[in-house]
Amino acid sequence: MTALLTTRTEQAIRDLTERAADLVSQVIPDCEGACLGTSAVLAYVLGANGVSTRAVRGQYDEHPHWWLETTTTRIDATRQQFLDGGPLVEPLDSVRDEDPYVWDLSLPSDWTREQAVAEFARMFEYGDVGEQHGHRILAALEDAAKEI
């Protein structure tokens, strides 16, 4: 991947991130606790479509949080849980001094399909419901990626 994302790629990232946010909020209202699982599924679909990301662990204000980053962009499909009205996808060079994101770990987001679904499923404490949701969301994102 080049250092700068193309406008088409940026729009595809925004579209897929918004779709992921919508799908996850249907299963987990307010997306609370869904950040790592959602990041895993989204990273898998982005990676399968040529966009490499890193998973970043840290905090949003004082809240433990996970999000994705490319070399130029922050991608946070579960940001709406914080009710700040900020964008789900934003260029890293537009980050302000009062940026609520603080990271402490960054690693390649190279989950396999099964690992991404398993990470999503870990949010649920009952049966295989989480795995079913993970497969459904991943399939919907893959379909959305084909349309972009």
Side-chain angles (χ1 to χ4, degrees):
M1 186 175 146
T2 61
L4 296 176
L5 297 174
T6 65
T7 301
R8 183 172 179 218
T9 301
E10 290 170 347
Q11 188 59 50
I13 291 170
R14 274 190 218 92
D15 292 347
L16 287 172
T17 303
E18 288 172 10
R19 182 75 174 126
D22 289 342
L23 290 165
V24 172
S25 68
Q26 292 172 24
V27 177
I28 305 165
D30 300 324
C31 297
E32 192 170 333
C35 55
L36 179 55
T38 303
S39 292
V41 171
L42 182 57
Y44 173 79
V45 174
L46 288 171
N49 287 280
V51 178
S52 60
T53 59
R54 295 187 64 74
V56 182
R57 180 187 72 191
Q59 294 182 1
Y60 184 95
D61 286 333
E62 296 87 35
H63 305 283
H65 195 52
W66 284 87
W67 62 92
L68 300 172
E69 290 183 358
T70 68
T71 56
T72 60
T73 308
R74 178 184 300 140
I75 305 163
D76 186 355
T78 61
R79 184 173 183 164
Q80 67 266 27
Q81 70 182 303
F82 301 115
L83 304 174
D84 73 344
L88 303 181
V89 178
E90 63 186 326
L92 288 172
D93 64 3
S94 71
V95 172
R96 304 155 311 280
D97 288 337
E98 67 277 1
D99 188 35
Y101 291 89
V102 177
W103 71 275
D104 64 20
L105 175 70
S106 176
L107 54 122
S109 55
D110 54 359
W111 287 283
T112 65
R113 179 185 190 84
E114 294 76 24
Q115 289 169 329
V117 168
E119 195 59 59
F120 191 87
R122 284 183 355 141
M123 295 182 289
F124 298 86
E125 295 179 3
Y126 44 91
D128 60 354
V129 172
E131 188 172 324
Q132 292 170 13
H133 286 310
H135 281 293
R136 185 176 58 84
I137 289 170
L138 193 136
L141 287 176
E142 289 175 324
D143 288 345
K146 292 175 190 172
E147 297 171 9
I148 295 174

